[in-house]
Amino acid sequence: MGNSLKAIVAFVPADECQKYLLEDLEEMPVDKMVDLSGRQLRRLPLHICSFRELVKLYLSDNNLNHLPPELEQLQNLQILALDFNNFKALPLVVCTLKQLCILYLGNNKLCSLPIELRLLQNLKTLWIESNCLQCLPEVVCELSLLKTLHAGSNALRTLPAQLRCLQELRTIWLSGNLLSEFPPVLLDMPFLEVIDVDRNSIRFFPSLAHLPGLKLVIYDHNPCRNAPKVAKGVRRVGRWSEESPEPRKRSGAVIEITLDEKLSPPPATKPESE
């Protein structure tokens, strides 16, 4: 069925039309996974909420802006993908799914996250990239098991000091934001393994050599005058990294050496565990 036909049928709320979009998905699959990505859905079919043993639900790339309260029945759900939809606020019913480990919210229109998100204490991976966040919601700092945070392509200028409480956090992606300085709180997080601050407005990088867990720092496309100092074995991606030296001062002048190195972005495909 072509996407154009799906788009037309999606406007018709009749049950028969919704079933047409679902291609006769009437029973829960044996693998306990339902993938309804790219179906032009405007509402979640209620019978999906009857699949109480469901573990993975992918609703990416639809036209959803709300979810039914019946979603609360999916108490075994571990992975929920809501990215590439039209959510302006996270439906509170999502915060009742306490077994969630991975939550994809990228490419929506979120300006904040509800305080109820703190109920998701099993969450290990959170994708909130490409939204309308001007600050990182402090409730994220209460997700004690969080290991991976994707918050790129927002409008973040700072990070909350409470972020240091996330002692399980290993990877943080902050590319494409409005950071004018390297977030000080990251200097107090020795357990971090990957830091990505590509495509910001950072002019100076402090030393990161004291971070024993660090494996990779991506700092390219910033108007910086120095590369961050790192411990031996840590990979840097950016100007004056391993492939070329930092600018040399000669008679008070700075000689710039450019490096045309492409950034390796976060994985385009969604991992099922982090």
Side-chain angles (χ1 to χ4, degrees):
M1 179 171 50
N3 286 335
S4 58
L5 180 56
K6 286 184 179 180
I8 294 173
V9 174
F11 277 100
V12 184
D15 290 339
E16 292 78 6
C17 294
Q18 295 300 307
K19 290 180 180 180
Y20 185 52
L21 290 171
L22 295 177
E23 299 176 1
D24 296 324
L25 179 62
E26 295 294 340
E27 298 181 359
M28 186 181 73
V30 176
D31 60 4
K32 299 181 180 180
M33 179 187 77
V34 169
D35 188 352
L36 299 178
S37 301
R39 302 291 184 94
Q40 305 290 335
L41 295 176
R42 294 179 177 274
R43 60 185 177 90
L44 179 65
L46 289 181
H47 80 274
I48 297 297
C49 300
S50 67
F51 299 165
R52 300 199 176 198
E53 299 302 314
L54 199 66
V55 173
K56 305 173 187 178
L57 178 57
Y58 296 93
L59 299 172
S60 308
D61 193 20
N62 281 294
N63 296 305
L64 300 172
N65 57 27
H66 69 281
L67 294 173
E70 289 82 357
L71 189 72
E72 186 177 3
Q73 299 175 40
L74 304 183
Q75 285 300 312
N76 290 300
L77 206 61
Q78 296 179 21
I79 300 176
L80 177 59
L82 299 174
D83 48 332
F84 292 94
N85 276 285
N86 294 317
F87 292 103
K88 294 182 178 180
L90 179 64
L92 292 182
V93 66
V94 172
C95 302
T96 68
L97 306 174
K98 297 182 180 180
Q99 297 304 313
L100 278 183
C101 297
I102 303 177
L103 178 58
Y104 299 104
L105 300 175
N107 291 273
N108 279 285
K109 301 173 183 177
L110 302 174
C111 295
S112 63
L113 293 174
I115 195 67
E116 289 82 358
L117 191 72
R118 64 170 59 149
L119 299 175
L120 302 183
Q121 285 299 308
N122 285 308
L123 206 62
K124 295 181 179 180
T125 300
L126 178 62
W127 293 56
I128 50 176
E129 78 284 1
S130 299
N131 276 286
C132 305
L133 299 170
Q134 296 185 11
C135 59
L136 185 68
E138 293 187 3
V139 66
V140 173
C141 304
E142 299 185 45
L143 303 173
S144 59
L145 295 184
L146 199 65
K147 294 183 65 175
T148 302
L149 176 61
H150 290 262
S153 299
N154 280 284
L156 305 181
R157 296 181 182 274
T158 61
L159 296 180
Q162 297 93 318
L163 195 68
R164 63 170 59 92
C165 297
L166 297 182
Q167 298 192 15
E168 296 298 319
L169 194 65
R170 297 294 180 265
T171 303
I172 185 165
W173 304 92
L174 298 166
S175 63
N177 277 287
L178 301 175
L179 301 172
S180 59
E181 65 173 348
F182 186 84
V185 66
L186 300 185
L187 300 175
D188 297 328
M189 301 177 71
F191 36 81
L192 284 175
E193 297 179 358
V194 177
I195 299 175
D196 175 18
V197 289
D198 176 65
R199 300 183 187 280
N200 278 278
S201 300
I202 301 173
R203 295 186 173 278
F204 174 78
F205 281 94
S207 173
L208 306 180
H210 67 289
L211 300 180
L214 195 61
K215 297 178 181 178
L216 170 65
V217 55
I218 304 171
Y219 64 95
D220 211 3
H221 304 99
N222 279 279
C224 55
R225 306 296 293 184
N226 72 310
K229 296 185 183 303
V230 295
K232 184 178 180 180
V234 179
R235 184 178 176 224
R236 299 181 299 178
V237 177
R239 301 169 72 193
W240 318 304
S241 59
E242 288 79 7
E243 289 77 4
S244 62
E246 294 188 31
R248 300 186 303 273
K249 287 187 177 180
R250 181 179 297 173
S251 301
V254 175
I255 302 175
E256 290 195 19
I257 301 175
T258 60
L259 172 64
D260 183 16
E261 180 177 10
K262 294 183 178 179
L263 167 69
S264 299
T269 57
K270 300 184 180 68
E272 293 191 357
S273 63
E274 295 272 356

